[in-house]
Amino acid sequence: MRSKITAAVATAAVAALLLTACGGGDGGSGDAATSDQPAAAGAALTIAKPDGAISTESNNPWLGDSSANKLGYKNVLFEPLAMVNPVGKNETTPWLAEKVVWNDDYTELRVTPREGVKWNDGEDFTADDIVFTFNLIKDNKALDTGNLQLTDVAKDGADVVLKFAESKFVKQAQVLHIDIVPEHVWKDVKDPTTFTNEGKPVGTGPYTLESFTSQSVTMKARDDYWGGKLAVPELYYVSYNDNTALTTALASGEADWAQAFISNIQSAYLDKDAEHNVFWAANTLSPDVLFVNTQRPPFNDVAFRKAVNMVIDRPAHTKIAREDAGPVLTSITGLPTPVGEQYILPEYQGKEFSIDVDGAKKILEDAGYTGVGTKLVAPDGTPVSFTLQVPQGWNDYVTGISLIADQVKKTLGADAKVDTPDVDTWWAAKRSGDFDAIMHWTDGGTTPYDLYSDTMDGRWLKAGADVDYNFGRFTDDAVTAALNTYATASTDDERSTALAEIQKAFVEQVPVIPVGTHPVLAEYNTRKYVGWPSEDDQYATADPLQPSAAMVLTKLKPAN
């Protein structure tokens, strides 16, 4: 029941943080800006992305391809009820809510709206805006991208009560991170799925849209923000042509803040200003895995899946492909550590991946394979061949699957190929199941549920020919039932029993092959401002594309 406790405690904390805004430090992390800090006292921050020109303005927070979503400025324009921290203590911090309280089985959420909040057009934020927003989702399935399954939205005195058809224990963030929109603007919108919301979009966030061009967006700090005065007066969201241009901008100081994988980051970025340039890979419960097609050879054979799992050099993957962006994935449960240690079963505590070529060969030989280590042949006489795929340009993933292909060839004798199609072709193939093996991430969350559901849950397959996870089509009804129990249970004991069955299946049946950690990456500098999240102060990730970007900006203060 962690969220019910931490959300209540954090109410007082956020009030103290944002409204009184005390204290501070002068390192890479620290406390919020002081409340008497004038909004226009500091320099602007440039937030960078490598996506090229974005020609069309759209400030609709519901649309994944809107400019507000792509560049990330929707996170300082609109705000959620609360922010769930995927790192640190996994705490829930109320935001537009004074308090959020779940019932025992997480099918009902009571929200106490924060008082004193105004929309940037001067109108008061009220409980009616919360009711309107969630009814908008309830009545428009296209907006319900998190499959909230709302059954009722109603005011109860000063509070708002949300009811759901199923437990939201494992999906609390998907509820709490919904951007609240103003009823007085959106009630007249005929189709919220196409509304572009151009011009001067109305939000409660700390910044307002000042200007939009295909190359950059300017956001200006509000002087009436409910969270207090902001140290950063302006934000420039700039889209560079590619990662190379972005890296150059970060290294030169032209850009200040980004979420990007940078090759040779030590020399390309950190060494350019060793005193101020920072790279933080925030480890979450989200590993990179090989989704293998369990419905066709060779990965329909668990013996082959086990053998491949035993010959992958994970330290090499971390050092070469990921350039040490995050720790090595060590636990055979697939859970990144130390963040996932609390969820590892006693029987798997301390059991780590290691290269065991002899053990892998024995598994294959016992299963009837021949030519093990030279030219692998399946028990039915078919030479073993498969193709690993990731999109061209995804350099870390391309390097990663190339390493794996070499390792499998040299140790097991399988004909492992590498293919790098364009992203659209790859995306369609992964959803339809037209692949042998692909490198992909899993969702993170604050429990192991997302990792195990994304890789083993049969309910993903009910969507039809194209799926959004469980790309390898792994099927085990008992595991699916256990995942459902974990997600819907009303007691910790029920969840623990279900997790034991789920984790054992993951280890023994190898539905996917865990490869490496998938931390949330971020680059920033401390030349202008301090107070950033860091390894030593994990109040949020440092990714400017996350809802917590608004929280980060309330914590920043001038470096001098």
Side-chain angles (χ1 to χ4, degrees):
M1 302 304 163
R2 175 180 62 226
S3 293
K4 290 197 286 187
I5 296 172
T6 56
V9 172
T11 302
V14 76
L17 165 67
L18 297 176
L19 301 181
T20 63
C22 298
D26 58 2
S29 61
D31 297 320
T34 56
S35 58
D36 60 354
Q37 173 67 48
L45 284 179
T46 296
I47 300 166
K49 284 205 72 182
D51 299 337
I54 296 178
S55 58
T56 303
E57 178 185 353
S58 174
N59 303 311
N60 187 328
W62 312 112
L63 304 183
D65 62 351
S66 69
S67 58
N69 260 305
K70 285 184 174 179
L71 290 174
Y73 64 86
K74 74 128 181 172
N75 296 310
V76 299
L77 181 59
F78 301 99
E79 295 181 302
L81 295 176
M83 298 187 189
V84 181
N85 189 4
V87 296
K89 297 179 181 178
N90 294 152
E91 70 275 14
T92 295
T93 301
W95 207 252
L96 284 183
E98 292 276 3
K99 183 169 61 175
V100 293
V101 179
W102 293 94
N103 66 350
D104 286 343
D105 64 0
Y106 290 81
T107 58
E108 182 177 303
L109 176 66
R110 178 173 290 272
V111 178
T112 302
R114 185 175 295 281
E115 296 181 355
V117 177
K118 287 187 177 293
W119 298 98
N120 60 27
D121 63 356
E123 294 285 330
D124 289 334
F125 163 77
T126 70
D128 291 333
D129 296 306
I130 299 174
V131 171
F132 173 81
T133 297
F134 281 95
N135 272 326
L136 197 64
I137 294 172
K138 179 173 172 285
D139 298 336
N140 294 271
K141 296 300 181 184
L143 302 182
D144 191 10
T145 55
N147 190 27
L148 299 188
Q149 298 190 17
L150 279 159
T151 60
D152 189 58
V153 181
K155 285 201 295 185
D156 183 12
D159 294 345
V160 175
V161 177
L162 308 176
K163 296 183 179 180
F164 305 89
E166 64 178 17
S167 172
K168 293 299 163 186
F169 174 74
V170 297
K171 298 292 183 182
Q172 294 173 60
Q174 291 184 331
V175 176
L176 297 174
H177 285 178
I178 292 293
D179 290 312
I180 306 302
V181 296
E183 179 183 21
H184 66 278
V185 173
W186 287 71
K187 67 181 181 180
D188 297 322
V189 173
K190 291 183 179 179
D191 186 354
T193 66
T194 60
F195 179 47
T196 57
N197 199 22
E198 295 178 53
K200 296 292 182 181
V202 178
T204 59
Y207 291 81
T208 59
L209 179 60
E210 183 76 3
S211 65
F212 176 93
T213 72
S214 61
Q215 293 297 327
S216 67
V217 172
T218 301
M219 305 293 292
K220 185 175 182 180
R222 292 175 59 176
D223 57 12
D224 62 346
Y225 180 54
W226 65 268
K229 298 296 183 181
L230 297 144
V232 184
E234 284 187 316
L235 304 174
Y236 304 137
Y237 287 80
V238 179
S239 187
Y240 293 90
N241 285 334
D242 51 33
N243 246 30
T244 300
L246 182 150
T247 301
T248 300
L250 284 169
S252 68
E254 178 182 299
D256 300 296
W257 191 8
Q259 182 262 76
F261 178 81
I262 298 176
S263 296
N264 304 311
I265 192 166
Q266 188 66 44
S267 59
Y269 172 61
L270 293 174
D271 289 346
K272 301 300 182 184
D273 185 348
E275 182 181 355
H276 299 105
N277 286 352
V278 178
F279 168 64
W280 182 36
N283 211 19
T284 68
L285 292 172
S286 173
D288 281 334
V289 303
L290 281 184
F291 277 93
V292 294
N293 195 326
T294 64
Q295 299 302 305
R296 71 188 194 193
F299 290 106
N300 62 341
D301 184 356
V302 67
F304 185 70
R305 299 199 299 268
K306 286 181 177 180
V308 173
N309 195 35
M310 294 167 69
V311 301
I312 290 178
D313 188 340
R314 291 171 176 86
H317 173 83
T318 300
K319 184 173 184 60
I320 299 171
R322 297 292 294 171
E323 298 185 13
D324 291 320
V328 177
L329 185 65
T330 57
S331 173
I332 63 173
T333 64
L335 289 170
T337 54
V339 66
E341 284 176 352
Q342 62 183 311
Y343 299 111
I344 297 175
L345 297 179
E347 62 195 273
Y348 297 136
Q349 288 282 349
K351 292 192 175 181
E352 299 185 348
F353 289 119
S354 62
I355 300 173
D356 184 2
V357 176
D358 290 339
K361 288 180 176 180
K362 186 176 188 309
I363 285 176
L364 292 177
E365 290 166 351
D366 289 348
Y369 287 79
T370 59
V372 180
T374 54
K375 189 172 183 180
L376 190 64
V377 177
D380 65 0
T382 305
V384 176
S385 175
F386 65 92
T387 301
L388 294 152
Q389 292 181 313
V390 295
Q392 55 184 299
W394 291 17
N395 296 337
D396 53 334
Y397 273 20
V398 172
T399 301
I401 64 171
S402 298
L403 288 171
I404 292 170
D406 288 342
Q407 291 156 7
V408 173
K409 283 179 185 177
K410 292 176 181 177
T411 59
L412 303 181
D415 182 16
K417 305 180 181 70
V418 169
D419 183 34
T420 57
D422 65 84
V423 67
D424 290 338
T425 299
W426 179 83
W427 203 272
K430 79 165 185 177
R431 296 194 67 213
S432 66
D434 185 18
F435 65 87
D436 294 328
I438 59 171
M439 181 89 83
H440 203 283
W441 57 93
T442 69
D443 290 326
T446 55
T447 75
Y449 178 82
D450 284 332
L451 162 59
Y452 295 140
S453 175
D454 288 355
T455 56
M456 296 191 289
D457 200 332
R459 289 171 296 182
W460 289 108
L461 308 182
K462 294 181 179 180
D466 291 339
V467 302
D468 291 319
Y469 263 116
N470 192 3
F471 305 117
R473 273 69 178 173
F474 176 81
T475 304
D476 186 319
D477 292 342
V479 172
T480 297
L483 283 161
N484 182 62
T485 298
Y486 185 85
T488 60
S490 57
T491 69
D492 289 339
D493 285 344
E494 290 178 279
R495 275 189 283 273
S496 295
T497 300
L499 180 60
E501 182 171 357
I502 294 163
Q503 202 166 93
K504 185 176 181 180
F506 186 88
V507 172
E508 294 183 355
Q509 297 190 52
V510 197
V512 297
I513 298 173
V515 177
T517 56
H518 189 86
V520 178
L521 309 181
E523 296 83 16
Y524 59 83
N525 67 71
T526 59
R527 286 187 293 273
K528 302 174 184 176
Y529 298 98
V530 295
W532 299 91
S534 67
E535 190 68 30
D536 296 327
D537 189 7
Q538 299 189 22
Y539 66 84
T541 71
D543 180 358
L545 306 181
Q546 297 301 314
S548 55
M551 178 188 287
V552 173
L553 287 159
T554 64
K555 298 266 280 183
L556 297 185
K557 65 179 184 177
N560 298 315

